[in-house]
Amino acid sequence: MRHARDFAVTVLALAALGVVAGVLWSILAPRPPYVVTGRGPVLADPSTQALIAADGWFAVVTGAFGLACGAAGYSLSRRGRPLAVVAGLAAGGLLAGHLATVVGGAVNLGAVSVAAAGRNLPTVAGPLELTAQGVLVAWPMLAAGVFAALEGLAGYRDSPLRRPFGGRDPYGPISSYDISGGGPAR
């Protein structure tokens, strides 16, 4: 029962952070310029870099949240149920990334627009959306990756493989060697 609780708490905490990440992404990412025509809005400059920049800012924001969540999840799960927390980081990271795209597209706080190159038409800031869907996995991958790296470091630090032979020298203490003959002293 505690495993399910840890999983659910982790997913819900990351979902709440996904809303915050969406607002932050909305503030930071530029909007592509659109021209309003009789047929509706049309992308003013097909070679605009604003679409790519929006994906990049999404990856930066959700990646930073993923790193922080992975470290926090590791430090809070030291009680002995890390599997529930790391599964919650992966599932919650996916949910948080999706919520960040929905909230970021709906909030529209940072109406920074990139000007259309070589156009003298009035432009409006377009909607904020992802064009590269692969950046949705930045949050869960980095969160689970940081968790796994920290768990691996702690496991190595406590591992008996780090101190072979029980921490003793297999050849005995140095004082028992005959330096001139190259073997044990007799």
Side-chain angles (χ1 to χ4, degrees):
M1 188 65 173
R2 287 185 277 174
H3 294 288
R5 183 195 67 207
D6 288 350
F7 175 80
V9 166
T10 304
V11 169
L12 291 175
L14 268 61
L17 288 174
V19 173
V20 174
V23 171
L24 186 59
W25 178 51
S26 177
I27 291 170
L28 295 173
R31 306 302 192 280
Y34 280 81
V35 175
V36 179
T37 65
R39 295 179 307 193
V42 176
L43 191 60
D45 185 9
S47 66
T48 184
Q49 297 297 311
L51 300 172
I52 297 169
D55 294 343
W57 277 110
F58 185 84
V60 167
V61 169
T62 58
F65 273 91
L67 292 173
C69 289
Y74 174 76
S75 67
L76 294 174
S77 72
R78 301 286 299 183
R79 299 182 307 237
R81 291 184 294 278
L83 186 58
V85 174
V86 78
L89 286 171
L94 284 173
L95 177 61
H98 176 70
L99 287 173
T101 59
V102 171
V103 170
V107 170
N108 202 19
L109 287 177
V112 177
S113 181
V114 176
R119 308 276 179 153
N120 292 330
L121 302 171
T123 60
V124 295
L128 185 60
E129 56 190 16
L130 287 180
T131 56
Q133 298 299 318
V135 296
L136 284 170
V137 298
W139 191 321
M141 280 182 47
L142 287 172
V146 165
F147 189 98
L150 292 173
E151 185 70 29
L153 287 173
Y156 176 73
R157 185 182 62 229
D158 300 336
S159 172
L161 296 175
R162 188 170 156 219
R163 294 177 300 280
F165 306 110
R168 296 186 321 255
D169 186 9
Y171 302 110
I174 293 177
S175 63
S176 68
Y177 282 90
D178 178 15
I179 298 175
S180 62
R186 295 190 180 166

